[in-house]
């Protein structure tokens, strides 16, 4: 059975949050916020709109990536690039709008929304925070403010980033705990506690999946199964007791598990009988 990875869970949640929350709600709000450009920087409204529209290609790329089902950590690039682009957007708008702080606050809030909406495992959240704070820091360095005011604004940004980084780390821990519980429940529902092999119901499900996969490939059918049983098992139980019989079943299960390939399926069929499914074998 292929291993279930936590990164796959994070990727699935990222995709779900993107299509259920970010795409229908957050991205339209980001473009509708162009309305306050007319009140703050009327002379640059069309420039600001063109800046905001540069986010559209990223959305399109991510959508195509989802449709093509790319493998690997491509979703990390989406999160970090999105956070960085929005931070650069707001920093540029603040500079064009005579150092308006409303764009800086909007940038921090947008970045914090990314941290809460797309919490990543472990230290990867720090990269999201860096993508948000680097344009902000560059802006503060070049802004004509006194050192005290600059430090005050900088500490406020760091404090807000720390709070939301801590919150996103907490969300990741909650998701990891839920993932472990789901994985443990799956193992309990599909694994025989004595032999350590899968149960008969799991075998039939995998058999149907592998069979349908072979038919979809429209190639020669290569799918084999091996039935194994322990000779004179009743005699072992009668002579040495059921505890020895259980040890025998456990030992046979270990031997079978060590003797098969990682994608083969070994199951306890019932009693002293075992079955192994060999995909891609004639």
């Amino acid at each position: 059975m292929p291993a279930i990875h936590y990164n796959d869970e994070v990727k699935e949640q990222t995709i779900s949050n993107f299509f259920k929350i970010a795409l229908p709600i957050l991205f339209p709000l980001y473009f509708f916020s162009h309305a306050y450009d007319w009140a703050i920087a009327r002379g640059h409204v069309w420039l600001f709109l063109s800046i905001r529209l540069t986010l559209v290609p990223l959305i399109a790329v991510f959508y195509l990536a989802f449709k093509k089902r790319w493998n690997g950590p491509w979703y990390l690039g989406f999160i970090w690039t999105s956070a960085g682009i929005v931070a650069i957007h707001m920093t540029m708008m603040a500079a064009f709008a005579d150092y308006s702080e409303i764009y800086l606050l909007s940038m921090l809030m947008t970045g914090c929304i990314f941290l809460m909406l797309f919490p990543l495992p472990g230290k990867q959240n720090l990269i999201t925070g860096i993508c948000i704070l680097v344009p902000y820091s560059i802006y503060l360095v070049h802004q004509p403010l006194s050192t005290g005011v600059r430090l005050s604004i900088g500490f406020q940004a760091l404090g807000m980033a720390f709070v939301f980084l801590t919150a996103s780390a907490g969300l990741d821990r909650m998701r990891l705990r839920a993932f472990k519980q789901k994985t443990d429940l799956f193992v309990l529902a599909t694994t025989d506690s004595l032999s350590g092999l899968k149960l008969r119901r799991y075998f039939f499900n995998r058999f149907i999946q592998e069979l349908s996969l072979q038919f979809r490939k429209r190639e020669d059918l290569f799918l084999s199964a091996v039935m194994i049983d322990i000779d004179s098992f009743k005699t072992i139980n009668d002579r040495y007791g059921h505890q020895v019989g259980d040890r025998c079943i456990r030992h046979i299960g270990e031997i079978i598990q060590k003797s098969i390939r990682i994608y083969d399926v070994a199951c306890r069929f019932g009693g002293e009988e075992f079955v192994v499914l060999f995909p891609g074998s004639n």
Side-chain angles (χ1 to χ4, degrees):
M1 172 189 170
I4 303 174
H5 298 289
Y6 178 58
N7 287 340
D8 296 331
E9 181 82 2
V10 176
K11 184 189 299 184
E12 289 298 324
Q13 186 172 355
T14 299
I15 293 172
S16 176
N17 289 349
F18 174 79
F19 282 97
K20 293 181 179 179
I21 302 176
L23 193 61
I25 300 175
L26 295 183
F27 287 117
L29 284 177
Y30 178 69
F31 292 109
F32 289 151
S33 62
H34 175 65
Y36 66 70
D37 294 339
W38 291 91
I40 300 172
R42 183 177 295 271
H44 302 289
V45 287
W46 300 115
L47 174 62
F48 287 4
L49 180 60
S50 63
I51 291 175
R52 294 178 192 273
L53 288 174
T54 58
L55 197 62
V56 174
L58 178 66
I59 300 173
V61 168
F62 183 74
Y63 180 78
L64 293 175
F66 169 76
K67 297 297 287 186
K68 293 182 179 180
R69 299 187 181 276
W70 283 1
N71 295 321
W74 49 267
Y75 63 97
L76 298 176
F78 165 75
I79 295 173
W80 295 334
T81 305
S82 299
I85 287 178
V86 173
I88 293 172
H89 283 182
M90 294 300 181
T91 304
M92 292 174 61
M93 294 176 194
F96 282 120
D98 297 326
Y99 306 105
S100 173
E101 292 187 8
I102 191 169
Y103 289 104
L104 293 177
L105 294 175
S106 299
M107 179 188 71
L108 289 175
M109 291 306 300
T110 304
C112 293
I113 288 173
F114 261 87
L115 286 170
M116 299 297 290
L117 189 60
F118 302 115
L120 297 175
K123 298 179 180 179
Q124 293 175 346
N125 285 316
L126 292 176
I127 301 179
T128 308
I130 290 172
C131 292
I132 298 165
L133 291 177
V134 165
Y136 187 88
S137 302
I138 295 174
Y139 172 85
L140 286 181
V141 170
H142 292 85
Q143 189 176 7
L145 294 173
S146 64
T147 303
V149 174
R150 185 179 289 115
L151 289 175
S152 176
I153 297 175
F155 281 125
Q156 289 177 12
L158 289 175
M160 184 179 293
F162 175 78
V163 169
F164 280 92
L165 280 171
T166 304
S168 62
L171 290 173
D172 177 59
R173 285 195 294 269
M174 292 173 58
R175 180 177 58 195
L176 179 60
R177 189 180 300 115
F179 173 77
K180 289 181 178 179
Q181 291 176 351
K182 182 171 64 175
T183 304
D184 292 341
L185 287 175
F186 176 79
V187 172
L188 288 174
T190 60
T191 306
D192 175 54
S193 59
L194 182 58
S195 65
L197 304 180
K198 295 300 177 184
L199 297 172
R200 184 198 331 215
R201 181 171 51 194
Y202 181 85
F203 167 79
F204 284 120
N205 290 335
R206 281 297 304 272
F207 179 79
I208 294 172
Q209 291 175 4
E210 294 294 340
L211 194 62
S212 62
L213 178 62
Q214 293 288 337
F215 283 125
R216 287 199 303 272
K217 288 181 177 180
R218 296 183 180 181
E219 299 174 353
D220 293 335
L221 180 62
F222 292 118
L223 182 63
S224 301
V226 172
M227 293 292 296
I228 304 168
D229 71 338
I230 303 174
D231 292 340
S232 305
F233 184 72
K234 186 176 183 304
T235 303
I236 295 175
N237 279 331
D238 293 341
R239 180 175 299 179
Y240 302 105
H242 289 279
Q243 290 185 345
V244 174
D246 291 347
R247 289 176 58 188
C248 182
I249 290 176
R250 189 178 300 111
H251 184 60
I252 294 297
E254 292 174 354
I255 293 175
I256 293 175
Q257 195 64 51
K258 292 178 181 178
S259 304
I260 62 176
R261 302 167 299 182
I262 190 171
Y263 48 84
D264 295 331
V265 183
C267 305
R268 184 182 178 191
F269 203 70
E272 77 280 13
E273 296 175 337
F274 305 87
V275 60
V276 185
L277 184 66
F278 296 100
S281 299
N282 58 20

